[in-house]
Amino acid sequence: MLRLEALYKQFDSQAVLTNINIEVHQGEILALLGPSGCGKTTLLRLIAGLERASSGKIYFANADITEIPPHLRQFGLMFQDYALFPHLNVRDNIAFGLKMKNVDRRTQAQAVERLLNLVHLAGAGDRNVSQLSGGERQRVALVRSLAPEPRLLMLDEPLGALDAVLRDELLIELRQIIKSLNIPAVYVTHDQREAFAISDRCAIMNRGRIEQIDRPSELYRHPATLFVAQFLGMNNILKRTDALKLLGGLTDFDAEMLLIHPRGVTVNATNSIRAVIQDVVFLGDMIRFVVEFDDQIRLTFHVPSDTEGEFAIGLPIQLHIDTRWIIPLHR
Ligand code: ATP
């Protein structure tokens, strides 16, 4: 439905987005994930039409909308800071976009009731928005953006202001609601857990470029670049020469840097290497431990917590590294 082709954006002479190519399908939730300043919000503003691309094209449903002003795109936008009207009650906040479109009163009222039900706020229509909790405000902000039946929904850190428990709860709700509407959605966040939980696919951005775009499980299993691996918290990164030394002659990897995936190890299997445990953390389902091999190479691994063997600092351990979990990283 949404297609971005070779988008570039400069502010003054500073490149902020470089060669962005993305497609988002009907009913698909795409997350834009990356550190602060990488260009996520700017990209969302380009999609919304609030900012003009320096070059490149934006298509929606095969129509070129690059030059179409924001209010004619029929896209919905939801921000972190709610941006609700404080002097209006819940009902009037939700109905605002419908009033602007001159929808008749009866249809407005029906739409508002249906939307309040959707976010479990039936009966809250008369309340003032200042009397709502953070989570309730966020639900109202969501359905306000949905009321005019947008063709695409954009969400910019929509849960950023909420505490962790509420965020997890609302994430699941949000995903269900977006899925039930079957519209494409673009979700901006700098939080990896959030991006992985809500999205069908996730674009990892770095300095105005897309480093990798894929399903969360694929990003986790096969990070393609040094940046992506590090951004996802995987630090078992070895120079090719060190990996060769450690593993005793593995070949055919063309990259200079290799990731030894934290899941890529079996304890006490045949063909194993000796290491000494340096640190152990029990995480419930998993045990995370740090080992040191010869040559002072230190790596971190995760194994299921029912793995046989003794995990204690200072003890030796025999580890088999599975070559399927050795991943070449490109720059
Ligand atoms: P955050 O997670 O902190 O919101 P972001 O990934 O959304 O960051 P953007 O807000 O898109 O990043 O900003 C990307 C870069 O573009 C930054 O270096 C920012 O300073 C710059 N930038 C954004 N808007 C403008 C503007 N109107 N004029 C000049 N520079 C801008």
Side-chain angles (χ1 to χ4, degrees):
M1 290 302 282
L2 178 72
R3 196 165 84 242
L4 311 180
E5 262 183 30
L7 276 190
Y8 286 76
K9 178 67 184 171
Q10 296 187 336
F11 285 116
D12 307 320
S13 56
Q14 184 79 13
V16 170
L17 293 173
T18 305
N19 195 21
I20 304 288
N21 295 284
I22 293 181
E23 284 185 29
V24 191
H25 308 288
Q26 186 72 291
E28 183 180 41
I29 305 175
L30 177 83
L32 300 178
L33 173 66
S36 183
C38 71
K40 306 180 292 293
T41 299
T42 303
L43 180 53
L44 204 65
R45 289 173 61 80
L46 285 180
I47 297 169
L50 298 167
E51 207 77 69
R52 280 186 69 156
S54 306
S55 67
K57 292 276 182 208
I58 304 176
Y59 297 90
F60 191 83
N62 291 321
D64 184 349
I65 60 162
T66 316
E67 302 297 331
I68 302 275
H71 63 283
L72 296 179
R73 295 191 181 193
Q74 295 170 262
F75 293 170
L77 183 53
M78 176 184 175
F79 291 108
Q80 170 181 139
D81 58 5
Y82 320 122
L84 296 174
F85 304 113
H87 56 287
L88 298 181
N89 66 19
V90 168
R91 174 174 297 111
D92 292 340
N93 261 285
I94 298 172
F96 184 79
L98 299 175
K99 257 189 206 135
M100 292 288 108
K101 282 173 76 179
N102 291 322
V103 172
D104 70 77
R105 283 184 155 273
R106 209 165 131 245
T107 315
Q108 275 185 37
Q110 283 168 349
V112 170
E113 291 317 311
R114 187 173 49 79
L115 290 164
L116 284 172
N117 272 319
L118 187 66
V119 287
H120 315 299
L121 283 173
D126 290 325
R127 289 172 68 186
N128 194 297
V129 291
S130 61
Q131 297 166 336
L132 302 177
S133 72
E136 289 167 340
R137 276 183 218 186
Q138 211 50 292
R139 289 186 171 93
V140 174
L142 171 68
V143 289
R144 188 183 59 172
S145 65
L146 294 176
E149 300 186 359
R151 303 191 295 167
L152 171 136
L153 184 63
M154 294 172 287
L155 308 101
D156 193 356
E157 304 262 4
L159 307 179
L162 305 175
D163 67 58
V165 176
L166 196 52
R167 208 175 333 167
D168 282 351
E169 223 177 86
L170 272 181
L171 258 181
I172 298 168
E173 223 175 278
L174 254 180
R175 183 173 161 86
Q176 285 170 349
I177 290 171
I178 297 170
K179 285 287 164 188
S180 72
L181 297 171
N182 197 34
I183 53 174
V186 182
Y187 189 105
V188 164
T189 178
H190 62 270
D191 184 310
Q192 181 226 317
R193 278 187 55 232
E194 201 173 308
F196 279 20
I198 198 146
S199 70
D200 298 301
R201 283 187 309 144
C202 179
I204 299 191
M205 295 181 63
N206 176 29
R207 297 200 203 160
R209 291 173 191 275
I210 293 183
E211 290 261 336
Q212 191 174 1
I213 177 163
D214 215 327
R215 287 178 293 133
S217 58
E218 269 306 298
L219 292 171
Y220 174 75
R221 287 193 199 122
H222 298 116
T225 68
L226 194 59
F227 176 85
V228 172
Q230 285 173 333
F231 189 75
L232 299 181
M234 300 180 195
N235 293 313
N236 289 345
I237 295 160
L238 296 181
K239 285 203 202 101
R240 197 161 160 269
T241 46
D242 288 336
L244 288 175
K245 248 190 265 167
L246 175 67
L247 300 163
L250 90 131
T251 50
D252 67 352
F253 285 107
D254 56 352
E256 269 315 298
M257 294 294 202
L258 298 176
L259 170 71
I260 317 289
H261 198 286
R263 295 297 304 279
V265 87
T266 322
V267 177
N268 290 329
T270 51
N271 224 337
S272 57
I273 320 169
R274 184 181 179 279
V276 177
I277 299 178
Q278 303 291 324
D279 191 31
V280 184
V281 183
F282 182 73
L283 296 171
D285 285 354
M286 305 296 286
I287 297 171
R288 182 174 72 212
F289 60 99
V290 180
V291 292
E292 188 168 304
F293 297 91
D294 290 349
D295 295 327
Q296 278 141 31
I297 293 174
R298 273 184 175 230
L299 298 175
T300 301
F301 292 108
H302 298 176
V303 291
S305 48
D306 57 6
T307 300
E308 298 281 334
E310 203 179 340
F311 293 86
I313 295 172
L315 287 186
I317 189 167
Q318 289 290 333
L319 299 173
H320 169 71
I321 296 177
D322 184 341
T323 48
R324 286 173 304 181
W325 286 96
I326 299 174
I327 295 154
L329 298 176
H330 300 277
R331 289 207 174 259

